[in-house]
Each structure stands twice: as structure tokens, then as C-alpha cells.
Amino acid sequence: MNPSEHSMEQGVSQQNFKRTSCTTVLTLAYQSLGVVYGDLSTAPLYVYKTTFSGKLSLKEDDEEIFGVLSFIFWTFTIIALFKYVFIVMSADDNGEGGTFALYSLLCRNGRLSILPNQQSTDEKLSTYGTEDFADTWQSSILKLFFEKHPGIRKGLLIFVLIGTCMAIGDGVITPSISVLAAVSGVKVKISELHDNYVIMVSCVILVGLFSIQHHGTHRVAFLFAPVVATWLLCISSIGIYNIFHWNPKVYRALSPIYMAKFIKTTGIEGWLSLGGVVLSITGVETMFSNLGHFSALTIKIAFTCLVYPCLILAYMGEAAFLSRHHEDIQRSFYKAIPGKNLSTTDYLCYFWSLRCNCHYFYSAEAVFWPVFIVATFAAILRSQAVISATFSIISQCHALNCFPSVKIIHTSTRIYGQIYIPEVNWILMCFCLAITFGLRDTNMIGHAYGLAVTTVMFVTTCLMTLVILIVWKQGIIKALTCLLLFGSIELLYISACICKVPEGGWISLVLCFIFMCIMYTWNYGTMMKHQFDVENKVSMNRMLSMGPSLGMVRVPGVGLMYSNLASGFPAMFGHFVTNLPAFHEVLVFVCVKSVQVPHVSETERLLISRVNSKELGMFHCIVRYGYKDIQQEKYNFENKLISSIVQFVESEEESIEEPTHELSANDENSNVEDHGVSLSQNTFDKSCCEENLLPSSRALLVMMNGDNHPEKCFYEDESLQIMKAKEFGVTYILGHSLEKAKNSSSILKKFAIDVVFGFLSKNCRESDAVLDVPHTSLLEVGMTYYV
């Protein structure tokens, strides 16, 4: 494997990217075409068609077509080039991009997170970097404002979720409009073809597209980058031909004067048509979202050197064609394709003929079908990229407790982040088929598409304004400039798209409402469940007092009790020992939680601490994941956990002479991280975790210490006790809870908890499946939560 291919498959972080060669940078820029720009490059298929789908019509003076081209050019330049390429790309979160990356930056630097179980030790993670600059008075006021108003922090999360739901809706609409727009081009050559056949072919392609998702996109960049590059060069060449052949003066439309003339001449109809213009920048959010797979530099090079000029030439060429063919507006893209096959020699001869005022006759072979085939492949590629991005978004939502547990499958062992979610895949397919078969019109689908895209872009602008103030600690003038310049343009397009709600825009609102209800209800139910655990957790004082009265005994083995709490004993444990007064001689409370960073390294994954005195044999283990990590271990988790506990015990013994603080028996609310010795960075050898634990105690200690010299290993009684308990077996103790709203709750809360949250809980993945717990070692504790 060559270095550039290896860099692509592993992802290029901002730290190691500086050491890459120029050849690697250019190679990655080329490969980014297949992943990042499939959405943006296929927009010319339907932009002009959707823009002129209403009452707006073309007149002889071409003011309308020049005005639309001027809007496309300046929107593409200001939003795509200035905003995303020059500004937003710089707001990466450890090399990751997207809405959650911006939100994560704000949560860490402004302490806006409402995730449960957040601890001060999380700030010691290597990826938990915050800006070292001193706070400005603006950033200090904002932080204090958010700190004093928890409701505002929750409102910010809801605002982010709205953008996220619109992005998921984009994952539903994009395959429909892309495939349908590409396939409908066949009617240019076969005019007698009925629309039902076009819809049927589109649906067949969509079913096939979603059916192969489980195979993954292992080589998506290498397979599809040539397709996108060919497509861009093809439409730009056609654009150049149309400019010289039909209207060389079309370049005048690049003046912003034509935008003012357009609005003045067309009035409200021109304003409403802007909902079609905004489709020219669909896909710019994908550039930022895919930052983790490449780098800001490679994406910027690909956009500025190839994508931007090719698309501008394509839009100019189509406008030049329309200025002479007003009647072909609804099939303008395919109609603008030259009817003859123009080779490179043909183009050179044609341009020379223009200079010499002579005529040149082309060869007779039509180029329509090659362009049609490339357009179809480009549409499929675009749909594939958006579907994969939707899987990634939903995985991140689950990490932030905003989406039910679903099955996540890794489709590639080399390309990080390539995942497949079966349930989501088939739901998206059903939505896509319903939209394609129900609306049967790219104009109506385009109206829904524009509203979804502009909403996501406006959310990004608002978050960027906060990032400039809180994270970058810049002045309020720069922040307001960003908000007013980009936000005003996006609000203009949003207002135009909202007026198109009766004509198809309602699709995006319905999809957003459905996903928002699911995500907010799940987040609300999860937070209420955690609040119940916090209010009803069992204190150490109570545990020690009720032990003799219950006749509590310890049985051989290791018990792993999973809890939602990062500190203290969960209510489930008190319920367990009350009904079955016995637990294992080594008991570990395991809390799996997400932190506001994209990734947590394996060496920082586990945080081990002791519960009370050594004689109890009880430990607390916090398993930390980033919002882009997949909560699935690549090797045997129990062996890794036991080895970490043994290392913690041995490190504790080594520092026995140093004073330690133990949890007092009457300290009911003490945090786990405030007592004992925490092993926050376990630097154990990962290879030892992949081997099965051997029965020999001496071999076990050698393996746990990663030492090849047994004579150097010292034996600890507690370490041997833990290893012997491991030989008796490991039992996974999980809660099987049922959430119920209190009788005094409102009707809305009862409906949300008892009906919606209850339905989602029963139909989502069970905890044992998520944690990959062997059924032979599983013990479930039933309990009802009244929230």
C-alpha cells in the first residue's frame, strides 16, 4: 500500500498532516473528490429547472437568467468559498468537522455540556484541548450567561438537534432527487417514455443502492474519485462550449448589479425563485463534515482548483444556452449538451474557427448517452456519500444520548468511520421510495431539499459565531460580521424556501418533526432515568449497615455491574442485594459514558478507582468514549478490564507509603474520582488483552505486568485474589428497567415517557447486545423507574 493510500484509510490528523509530502497532499485532494464533492457537483442537474418552476418566466432581454446566474455565482462564492473553505474549515475539533464538532468545541471551552457523568478528570484527556488564550470580556459574559441559565444550554442542544434532524432529512431527500433527476434525462432522447417508467427505474435504482449498503464503501475514494473528476471536467467542457457558441457575453452576469435588477424586475416571484438558487450550494456542509477523513488543506485544494471553477463554468454555460432557448428551461441541463461528439481536437478546431470567422463541422456521433451514464453514476455516488454521512450522524446522536441504541456494523477494517446501521438503512429506503413515488417531481423535492440545506447552514453560522467569541476569543465585531454577512444570506434563502412549503417544502418539516420527536424524547427519558439513579443511589453507610441484617455473603468470581452513574452505588444494586443478599468477592461497577471529544485513545479509555477499603474488593471502572468512537471493543473487554485493575492494585501498592484519601463510610455523596488512586492513563500492553488468561498465577502476573522476566515480578495477595476470582468466572449484571411516569405527571409527560419512550425502549437494541455480553454470563435485574 502506498503512503497516500495509507493516509487516506487511516485518516489524516492535523498533527501528522504537516509531515506529509506534497505528492500525498495532492493525491488526497484528488481522492477527496469521491467522498466530499459528489453532492455539490451534481447540483447543475436541477438548479435552473427548480428555480424557474414557479411563475417566474424568461423574457427576451435575458434579465432573469442573468440575475439567477449572478445569484448563483455570488452565493457560491460567499457561502461555499468564503464561509466554509476559508472560515468554517478552521474550526475543527481535533481534525473532525461537522455540527457536533462545533458543539463539542463550545461544550469544552464554554462548559455548555448537559451530558451526565461529566468529571474533572475528563479534562486531562489528550484530545480535551482548550484554547490557552485569556478570556475576553465578551467570552466571559457569554460563559457566565450560559452557566447561570441551564435552560439556555438545553435550548442550544435543541437548536443543534434541529440542524441535525434537517441533515438526516437531507439523507432521505438527496437520493430521491439525485436519482430521479438523472434518470428523467432519458426523456430528452425518448420523449414518448411515460413518467411511470421513469419513476419505476428510479425506485429500482434506489432499492439496489440501499440493498448494497451492508457491503460498505471500503474504497469509495479510489473507486469514485475518477467518476466525479470526469463529471466535473465533462460539465465544465460543455459549459465552455455553450458560452462561446450561444452567448459569449454571459460573463457580464457575474456583476452583482444583475442581482439588484433581478429583484427589482421580478419582485416577489424573483424572491420566491431563490429557493431553487440555493440548491447550487447543497453539499457545502459535506465538505466540513468529512474533514476527519482528509484535512482542511486537501479539501481546500480540491475545491479551489477544480470544483469551484468547473461548477461556475457549468452554470455559466447553461445560462448561455438558456438565453437562446427559453422553451427548454425544464430540461435545460440535458438540452444544453451538444448534439454531436466533440473530441479535444474538435474543441480546438471550433475555438480556432471562432477566431478566424470560419465554420467547422463536428463529427456525427452523439455525446448525450455518455454524459447521461456519467450523470447517473454521479447521482448514485452522491446518494452513497450522503447515506454514509447519515449513518455517522446517527451514531454521534446515540453517543450524546439523543438516539436509541441501534446495531452498528463496521464495514471496513482500514477506513475509520465506515459504518452501516441496518435499521436506519431500511427506514431511509422506505422514506426515499415514498418521496420518489409520491411526489414524482424533482421541483417539489427540490423545494424540500432547499429548506433542509439552508437550515443546516444557518445552524452552522450561529454555532460559528459562538466559536469565534468563546473558543477563538475574538472580538464581538468579527463575530457579528460573520453572523450578519452569512446569516442574512441564509435567512433570505430560508424565507424563500418556507414560502415553498405547500409545494413540497413540507416534506423536510415532516421529516424533521419525526426525527426531532424521537431524539428529544429519547434524550429526555434518558436524562430522567439518570436523575432517578442520582436521587436514589445507595450510600456506603447504608450498604455497611444492612449487610449483617441481610446476611450478605460473598461468592467466588468477578461481578461486573453496569451502572449509569460515574460515582456511588446505583439503585439497582440496592434492589439486587435486598432480594439476593450475595455478590461476588470482586465487584466492579462499570459506567460506560461519552465525553465531549471526538475520540478517546485506548490508553485513556479506562478510569479505575477503588471503592472504600481494600477488604471490600470493590472497584469503579469508567469506560470513556468520544462522540465519534464506536462503543465496541476490538478485543476481549473482561481481560482488558482485569489486567487494568491488577495494574491499578500494583501501582497502589508501590505508592503505599504516600498518604491516600479513602472514602469515608458516612460520606454518602462523595465522588468516586475524589478518593483512592485513579489510574486514568493505563499504559498496559494491549497485546496481553488479546490472549486468554492462563491458570498459572506466575504466568498471569508476567502477562499482566508485560514483563518477560518472571523474577522481576512481585506477587501481591490482592492481585492473586483477583486472578483467582477471574478463574471462577465473570458475571455481567445488567439492569432491565421499565420507565413509568409518576401519577402526578402531566398528560404530555405520561405520553412521552409511557408511550413514546416505552415504545422506543422495547424496540431498540438491548444493553447486552450493545455491550456484546455473552448470554451464558448474563444476569439481568428487573426494576421499575418512576420518573
Side-chain angles (χ1 to χ4, degrees), residues 218-444:
H218 303 286
R219 303 282 182 176
V220 62
F222 303 100
L223 292 178
F224 293 140
V227 176
V228 177
T230 303
W231 168 255
L232 289 171
L233 294 175
C234 180
I235 61 176
S236 62
S237 300
I238 294 173
I240 293 173
Y241 165 77
N242 286 328
I243 291 172
F244 284 96
H245 185 72
W246 297 113
N247 192 348
K249 296 181 180 180
V250 73
Y251 71 90
R252 296 178 179 177
L254 302 185
S255 171
I257 297 177
Y258 281 90
M259 289 192 295
K261 290 183 178 180
F262 175 78
I263 295 297
K264 182 179 179 180
T265 304
T266 59
I268 189 171
E269 291 301 329
W271 168 60
L272 293 176
S273 68
L274 296 180
V277 173
V278 76
L279 298 180
S280 62
I281 54 174
T282 56
V284 291
E285 190 73 27
T286 308
M287 292 192 300
F288 185 41
S289 300
N290 284 280
L291 196 59
H293 286 217
F294 300 94
S295 70
L297 180 59
T298 56
I299 293 178
K300 289 178 180 179
I301 290 175
F303 182 83
T304 55
C305 296
L306 182 63
V307 178
Y308 179 79
C310 286
L311 288 177
I312 293 299
L313 288 173
Y315 288 121
M316 291 178 65
E318 193 171 349
F321 172 82
L322 282 173
S323 66
R324 299 294 183 266
H325 302 83
H326 294 179
E327 70 281 358
D328 293 328
I329 185 62
Q330 288 303 308
R331 302 235 189 269
S332 59
F333 177 81
Y334 285 106
K335 287 285 188 178
I337 298 174
K340 312 296 180 183
N341 182 25
L342 302 180
S343 62
T344 304
T345 304
D346 292 328
Y347 276 113
L348 294 176
C349 293
Y350 172 73
F351 294 139
W352 180 259
S353 68
L354 292 176
R355 182 176 180 181
C356 299
N357 294 321
C358 60
H359 297 283
Y360 176 74
F361 296 94
Y362 318 120
S363 57
E365 185 180 355
V367 297
F368 173 83
W369 292 111
V371 174
F372 173 78
I373 293 173
V374 174
T376 304
F377 274 106
I380 294 174
L381 166 61
R382 174 189 188 181
S383 304
Q384 172 64 60
V386 174
I387 293 170
S388 300
T390 304
F391 292 156
S392 178
I393 290 173
I394 291 179
S395 175
Q396 296 171 31
C397 292
H398 170 61
L400 295 177
N401 295 329
C402 294
F403 204 85
S405 299
V406 289
K407 185 178 183 180
I408 299 177
I409 301 174
H410 292 270
T411 59
S412 175
T413 57
R414 293 181 176 179
I415 302 179
Y416 184 83
Q418 290 291 332
I419 60 176
Y420 168 66
I421 306 177
E423 300 95 328
V424 174
N425 180 70
W426 302 122
I427 292 175
L428 290 179
M429 186 192 75
C430 292
F431 278 129
C432 283
L433 293 177
I435 292 175
T436 304
F437 189 79
L439 297 183
R440 309 166 71 91
D441 183 12
T442 54
N443 292 331
M444 296 184 67

Side-chain angles (χ1 to χ4, degrees), residues 183-198:
V183 175
S184 62
V186 75
K187 295 191 67 177
V188 173
K189 288 297 181 183
I190 312 177
S191 57
E192 65 275 9
L193 187 66
H194 198 275
D195 289 341
N196 290 339
Y197 293 102
V198 175

